[in-house]
Each structure stands twice: as C-alpha cells, then as structure tokens.
C-alpha cells in the first residue's frame, strides 16, 4: 500500500520504518525540516533501539520518501496516518494545535484528490476529538463529507519507547475505532497479520481505551511502588511478595474485579485496607494511592445514594442487602450504608434479600443485625413482590433469576430502577432505568 505519515516523532518514525520494512511505500511528512533531512539521508530522527539500522535499510530500498508538501503526500497515498504530538498544557488539558493544523492541511489537500482517502488517527486524543474537532475541520477545509470522499478512523498506538520496534511487531491488540467498513477493511489488510487480536469498536471507545490503558498502567506502577514502600518499612522483601501477587492469575492478574459495578464492602476488603493504612501511617510511610481507595469507594456509594435521592421519591425498595449476591454477610455492606442513609432522610424503606432472613441467621451475622442495625432487621420482607409493588424507587443489588423475573413482571411506568448489578434484560424493564456504572 501507499501510506503517508504526518508527524515523524516516535510513533510516526517507527511506523514509517516498520511499514516500509514490510514492503509498503511510505511518505513521511513533518514540519521540522531537520527531521526530513535526516530521514532523506537514511538517518533516524529518534534515538531508539534498532532504528538507525532499520531506517538506513528501508531508505536504501527506495520505498521511503519525505516531504513537507501535504498535497503531494495525500495525492501519492491511499491513506494518511496522523501521528503528531498532543502534549499537555500546564493545566493538564490537551494541546490540540498540531492535530488541528494537520487536519486543516489534510482537508485542503483532499480537495485535489479524486480517489477515496482514509485518514487514520494514531495520536492520543480524548474521546470526542475525532468526531468533534478533526472531522469538522476536514469537512470545512475540503468541502467534502466524512464517509463520502474520505473516511476517518482512530487506531490507538500502544508502542513503548525503548522497545518500539518489538512492540510494533507484537502489540497487545489492534484496535480500530470506525463508523464504516472501508477503514476496517483497509486496516485489517495492513495489520491483520500481526500476532494479536484485531478488535473493531466505535471511535469514542477506541479513543477512551488508550486513556484507560495508560491510567491502568500508571495505577499498577504506583500500587507496586506503594506496596514496596510498606514492605520496606517492615523489613519484608517486596519482590518476594509481588512475585507471589503476580503468580495468582485467577484473582490478581486477571479480569476479576475489573468490571465496573457497585462499591466494595464485606468483612475483608475495607477492614484489611484500613489495617494496612494504619500500619503504614505508624511507620510514616506515605501511600496516597491506597489511602485514596476508601475515599473513592465512598464517592461511589454516594453516587448510588444520590441516584435515589435526586428522584425525590418517598419510598425505596431494596432488592439485596448483603455486600454481594450469595452471602448473608452484612458487615461493611454498602447496601446497609445506603439503607441507613435513606432511613435518615425519612424515606420509607422496604428490603428483600433471600440470603438475609432473620429467622435463619445465626452467629456473627445475627448478632450484627441485632446489635448494630436492629432498625434494619424490621424493614425486611420475606418476598420481593410487596417491596417492588409498594416502592417508587427500586435499588437492585441482586441479579438472581428470581429478582430479575419479579422486576420484569412487576415494574410499572412510575418506578425508577437504580441498577447496581448490571441487570440483564434491562430493555424489557418498565419504568425509568438508571444504571449506576453502566
Ligand atoms: N511516544 C510514545 O511512546 C507514544 C506511544 C503511544 C502513543 N503516543 C501518542 O502519539 C502521538 C505522537 O507521539 P510522539 O511521541 O511520536 O510525538 P513527537 O512529539 O515525538 O512527534 C510529533 C511530531 O509531529 C510533528 N508535527 C507537528 N505538527 C505537524 C504538522 N502539522 N504536520 C506534520 N508534522 C507535524 C512534530 O514536528 C514532531 O516531529 C501523541 O499523541 C502521543 O501521545 C506516543
């Protein structure tokens, strides 16, 4: 294929060299004449393992040209990759000037092109940037409509500096955010052979994915570093601990706990986190990330509570009370905290939880209800029916087949359903649906 690449920094230059290595004809475009001159001479404008040799080789093949003439680059290629920088301004907002400028230039160049052109955005940009900033500029400066003369898609880049050629050849996955088939078809032709999954999604999902991945990577590093500081303060070998943490691919290094849902609770996570924070505090070890976890959880609980209170309803039915389905453990259950808040606000509260049946409860749980939340025990119903029928807002903290079928059968238009569990069949529910995380 013939590909033009706009922006010859880390992403653009590595793409240029690897695409040319793989037999494609590549035209590099940059506003920096120094970078163009270096590439023309077969020298890499970036310092990166393997790049000096690769650039020299691919330039020698004649498959690489460089120019600052945007019209010639667009005219001489089937698709253009946008790889310009999107740096942060001092307040953290993204500086889109390079993206805007390149979009205007590409728009003007499209005027002279008769064949369809594909624009592939590789720069990292916040969700909405492609459809809200780039496409309007391309349309305004070309007089064409996106999808009619040119297509735009978003393909996030996952290479890491220092191992970028290796990452180009072995990405974690290929993601194409597109609203049409043509971009997907062309990019599958180009990257479908890589040893990874090829996912197609909408543009905003692809834009957000890059931020989700980078935020997660940053979070992992900071988590490991905080655990390292705590371990060190206690004379424990951090690597011995973290090696074992990483060896658990069922609960730790897995998709477990990585789906948005309701606030965590129960008898272990909050208690053990608090004990760790206390132990670190006693040793003057700062762990702001771990300290922030409980604050984050409380914010999430408030989000669910506010979803109910802002409806102005006077009665609330709670389907589920324990901290998760399949247990009767009420200690530190966020649903108990919710119920207490509703009671405090004067709402009429009705609760159904088949696992939490006072007559069956024994031991610590029975004692907990009788001593700590006796007022809640008296609000429990043995059947979900009356809870649904007699309440305006329904907080759903259980997704058992029984609860789902009762909701489908009994919900009416006046109900507001606050879903904490990602209910199946939600389109079939009557009433106002409000998902807390989805
Ligand atoms: N560096 C990485 O490891 C990496 C990895 C993944 C994603 N990204 C993202 O990719 C994008 C590019 O990153 P980078 O590190 O390669 O940037 P960079 O700053 O190294 O390079 C950007 C290049 O774009 C050129 N440029 C600016 N305006 C231009 C224009 N109008 N026309 C042509 N060229 C122009 C600049 O001269 C520069 O050479 C950023 O959005 C970044 O967040 C970077």
């Amino acid at each position: 294929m013939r590909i033009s690449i706009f922006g010859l920094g880390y992403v653009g230059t590595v793409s240029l060299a690897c695409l040319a290595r793989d037999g494609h004809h590549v035209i590099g475009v940059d506003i920096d004449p120094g970078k163009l001159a270096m590439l023309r001479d077969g020298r890499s404008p970036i310092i990166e393992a393997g790049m000096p040799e690769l650039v020299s080789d691919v330039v020698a093949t004649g498959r690489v040209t460089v120019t600052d003439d945007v019209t010639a680059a667009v005219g001489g290629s089937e698709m253009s990759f946008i790889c310009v920088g999107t740096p942060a301004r001092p307040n953290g907002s993204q500086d889109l000037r390079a993206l805007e400028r390149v979009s205007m230039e590409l728009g003007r160049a499209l005027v002279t092109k008769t064949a369809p052109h594909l624009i592939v955005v590789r720069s990292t940009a916040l969700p909405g940037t492609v459809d809200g900033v780039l496409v309007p500029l391309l349309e305004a400066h070309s007089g064409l409509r996106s999808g009619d003369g040119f297509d735009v898609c978003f393909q996030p880049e996952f290479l890491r500096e220092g191992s970028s050629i290796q990452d180009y050849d072995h990405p974690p996955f290929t993601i194409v955010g597109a609203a049409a088939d043509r971009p997907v078809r062309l990019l599958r032709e180009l990257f479908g052979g890589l040893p990874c999954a090829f996912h197609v999604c909408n543009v905003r999902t692809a834009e957000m994915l890059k931020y989700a991945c980078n935020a997660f990577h940053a979070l992992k590093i900071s988590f490991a570093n905080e655990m390292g500081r705590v371990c060190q303060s206690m004379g424990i070998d951090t690597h011995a601990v973290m090696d074992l943490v990483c060896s658990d691919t069922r609960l730790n290094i897995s998709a477990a706990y990585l789906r948005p849902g309701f606030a965590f609770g129960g008898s272990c996570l909050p208690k053990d986190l608090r004990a760790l924070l206390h132990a670190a505090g006693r040793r003057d070890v700062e762990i702001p990330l771990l300290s922030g976890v409980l604050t984050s959880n409380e914010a999430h609980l408030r989000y669910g509570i506010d979803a109910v209170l802002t409806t102005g309803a006077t009665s609330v039915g709670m389907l589920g009370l324990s901290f998760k389905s399949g247990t009767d453990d009420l200690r530190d259950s966020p649903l108990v905290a919710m119920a207490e808040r509703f009671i405090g606000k004067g709402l009429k509260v009705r609760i159904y939880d088949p696992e939490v049946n006072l007559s069956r409860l024994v031991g610590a749980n029975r004692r907990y209800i009788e001593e700590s939340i006796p007022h809640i025990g008296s609000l429990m119903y043995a059947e979900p029916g009356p809870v649904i029928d007699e309440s305006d807002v329904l907080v759903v903290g259980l997704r058992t087949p029984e609860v789902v079928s009762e909701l489908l059968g009994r919900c009416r238009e006046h109900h507001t359903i606050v879903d904490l569990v990602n209910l199946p069949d939600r389109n079939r529910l009557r009433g106002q649906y409000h998902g807390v995380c989805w």
Side-chain angles (χ1 to χ4, degrees):
M1 284 192 200
R2 305 188 78 84
I3 300 151
S4 50
I5 296 185
F6 289 77
L8 299 172
Y10 288 90
V11 171
T13 307
V14 171
S15 301
L16 170 137
C18 291
L19 285 164
R21 175 202 65 191
D22 297 342
H24 302 286
H25 289 265
V26 190
I27 306 170
V29 186
D30 204 289
I31 51 171
D32 181 343
K35 290 192 174 180
L36 299 183
M38 286 183 82
L39 278 164
R40 223 174 257 124
D41 292 349
R43 287 181 294 134
S44 172
I46 58 161
I47 309 287
E48 184 66 31
M51 281 296 283
E53 303 79 8
L54 186 58
V55 169
S56 156
D57 288 353
V58 293
V59 170
T61 65
R63 288 195 294 274
V64 174
T65 50
V66 291
T67 180
D68 59 2
D69 182 341
V70 177
T71 307
V74 170
S77 58
E78 297 147 66
M79 64 175 85
S80 299
F81 282 15
I82 300 184
C83 306
V84 299
T86 46
R89 293 202 182 89
N91 70 357
S93 64
Q94 53 178 5
D95 181 346
L96 289 180
R97 280 174 301 177
L99 263 184
E100 287 166 352
R101 177 172 163 185
V102 89
S103 304
M104 291 186 253
E105 290 170 341
L106 280 169
R108 286 193 285 272
L110 286 171
V111 176
T112 56
K113 191 158 183 203
T114 47
H117 197 74
L118 174 61
I119 291 161
V120 185
V121 183
R122 308 296 317 265
S123 302
T124 302
L126 281 168
T129 307
V130 168
D131 289 337
V133 180
L134 270 73
V135 169
L137 285 172
L138 286 161
E139 291 183 337
H141 289 267
S142 65
L144 301 169
R145 302 282 303 161
S146 174
D148 186 9
F150 72 94
D151 286 293
V152 184
C153 66
F154 185 82
Q155 186 195 358
E157 174 59 65
F158 295 103
L159 65 77
R160 295 164 298 173
E161 286 172 28
S163 57
S164 55
I165 298 176
Q166 161 77 6
D167 288 348
Y168 178 96
D169 291 330
H170 297 91
F173 39 35
T174 299
I175 308 291
V176 178
D181 291 340
R182 188 171 169 274
V184 177
R185 196 164 29 80
L186 287 173
L187 287 181
R188 206 185 283 279
E189 233 177 275
L190 208 51
F191 297 116
L194 287 172
C196 63
F198 186 101
H199 296 287
V200 179
C201 57
N202 67 40
V203 172
R204 287 170 69 86
T205 301
E207 289 172 317
M208 187 48 128
L209 175 72
K210 179 67 190 169
Y211 288 92
C213 291
N214 275 354
F216 188 44
H217 300 165
L219 184 75
K220 284 170 73 171
I221 292 168
S222 298
F223 171 77
N225 286 339
E226 288 198 358
M227 286 309 301
R229 295 203 291 277
V230 177
C231 284
Q232 198 175 40
S233 76
M234 297 179 172
I236 296 165
D237 178 353
T238 310
H239 293 287
V241 173
M242 290 310 289
D243 284 351
L244 288 170
V245 165
C246 294
S247 73
D248 169 6
T249 52
R250 208 163 67 82
L251 297 183
N252 292 346
I253 311 303
S254 74
Y257 306 120
L258 274 175
R259 300 278 187 266
F262 196 46
F264 65 77
S267 60
C268 293
L269 300 192
K271 165 180 82 71
D272 296 347
L273 198 46
R274 279 196 287 265
L276 188 66
L277 296 179
H278 184 259
R282 277 184 52 209
R283 290 164 178 80
D284 292 329
V285 179
E286 269 188 79
I287 45 172
L289 175 68
L290 288 166
S291 307
V293 174
L294 288 171
T295 315
S296 168
N297 203 45
E298 281 153 21
H300 203 54
L301 176 63
R302 274 198 305 279
Y303 183 60
I305 292 171
D306 289 347
V308 174
L309 296 182
T310 51
T311 64
T314 53
S315 61
V316 57
M318 300 187 64
L319 300 163
L321 186 64
S322 64
F323 80 100
K324 65 178 177 188
S325 297
T327 173
D328 61 358
D329 197 347
L330 294 177
R331 287 169 296 173
D332 266 323
S333 166
L335 286 155
V336 171
M338 271 184 121
E340 297 201 303
R341 187 71 199 284
F342 299 147
I343 295 166
K345 283 279 176 187
L347 270 66
K348 174 76 190 149
V349 180
R350 296 179 179 84
I351 303 169
Y352 169 72
D353 189 325
E355 312 287 348
V356 187
N357 184 333
L358 269 190
S359 60
R360 283 201 344 244
L361 279 182
V362 288
N365 285 334
R366 186 175 188 98
R367 222 172 21 255
Y368 177 74
I369 294 200
E370 286 173 352
E371 288 170 11
S372 307
I373 49 169
H375 50 299
I376 285 189
S378 65
L379 306 175
M380 306 273 324
Y381 283 62
E383 302 293 332
V387 173
I388 297 175
D389 295 344
E390 291 164 35
S391 310
D392 294 329
V393 181
L394 299 169
V395 175
V396 188
L398 280 178
R399 49 176 289 166
T400 58
E402 182 206 20
V403 164
V404 173
S405 102
E406 287 284 328
L407 283 169
L408 289 173
R410 288 178 183 266
C411 275
R412 298 288 171 264
E413 271 68 25
H414 74 271
H415 278 121
T416 298
I417 300 136
V418 176
D419 177 5
L420 309 180
V421 290
N422 198 12
L423 279 169
D425 295 325
R426 71 179 75 148
N427 328 335
R428 289 172 50 215
L429 283 173
R430 276 187 285 169
Q432 193 76 30
Y433 176 85
H434 185 109
V436 162
C437 309
W438 307 278

